[in-house]
Amino acid sequence: MKTSVRKTRWIPAVVAALIVFGALIAAGPLRARQPVRIPVDLNQTLTNELSDTVVLHSLDRQIRDYMQAWNLKGASLCIMRHDSLLYAKGYGVADKDTPMTPGTILRVASVSKLITATGIMLLQECGLLTLDDRVFAPGGALEEFSDVIQDDRLHDITIRHLLMHEAGFTARAGDPMFSTRNLMKTYNWKTPPDSETLCRAILKRRLQFDPGTASEYSNFGYLLLSLVIERVTGTPYEDWIQENVLKAACCTDMHLAHNYYKEKYPNETRYYMQSNDKAVECYDNSGVMVPRCYGGNDIPALKGAGAWVTSVPELARFVASIDGQDEGPDILSRESIEAMTFTTDSVTYGLGWNDISEEGVWTRTGTFSGTSALIKNYPDGECWIMVTNTGTWRGPHFTKWTSSLFT
């Protein structure tokens, strides 16, 4: 499946028809140190009809063919160039007969890590921490857990190690963020653990490798970063991120997700699994059988590792606030943005980003049961973002196929 829709040659022909989108972005992003103006509410303003006025039938056709090939119920796509939103459209359905629109919010899974990393960089700019602070050492943000640590190497873990998945944590015995049922049985917990209880259990384990000597993707590491933010600021993670990161970027409708359909936000999509996906036991060990995307895992417990929901245009607005483009002000300093996007080798993670290629392409992915998200930010100032509301058998590898659409 090698179809490609990222063709910059069509952009000059449609910019005039899409000038309205430039006005929608003009209200943000803003520097965090500036007074925050009331932003345009993208989720209430953008409609599918705005993008339907543009003659991009080839793009529409390729997206719809792609959705049919992968049996996707719904998807949301936006294209941004130099901090101006050129295209924003929902495809398929958000919930039964309700169409997907640009204002529909969706789980973005590990794209959440980019938001968390931005919060950490902002705290460093404010002088409240440094990336080389040791997390569990005396005076560290999470020294409260030092009494359970049995592997002394944990005292060497820095905030930078957590950001870059170099702390030494492993998921070879099961990712602790997605093994709630097993952990409840192992530790005889009657209820799912809160963040502190989970950390006190996992931090008793030995590390897989010395911090800073290798990389292994760790959702648990980003839970720890969420707790770092809470301890340093004295504010719950979601509240602090919303007030200091998202509000500064003029993002007004981003939240931590809930587990069940009945708890979804009013403009949130329904999530779907493939028709042959079997029900699973609920994460809380109640024995209730549930769709994998609604109770298979404890999503809010992920916090900054993977729990955010957002519309795709607001996610684009957030990316515009940390991209270093001259066309719009950023919420981070140029030094912080350069640190987050320093070119690494193919096995080293960026700070919040999955990959920073030698060609200057920034990639961030996210996958859950029932959703898949992809951000591609290109050195020519173009950014493509697509999020779906349907799980696939390819799991996290599905984003590689989606990426092929944008090349």
Side-chain angles (χ1 to χ4, degrees), residues 1 47 100 124:
M1 188 175 295
T47 66
M100 185 75 74
Q124 178 172 252

Side-chain angles (χ1 to χ4, degrees), residues 39-56:
V40 172
D41 188 338
L42 293 182
N43 293 351
Q44 297 298 318
T45 304
L46 295 175
T47 66
N48 284 335
E49 287 69 29
L50 283 171
S51 287
D52 281 339
T53 63
V54 182
V55 183
L56 288 176

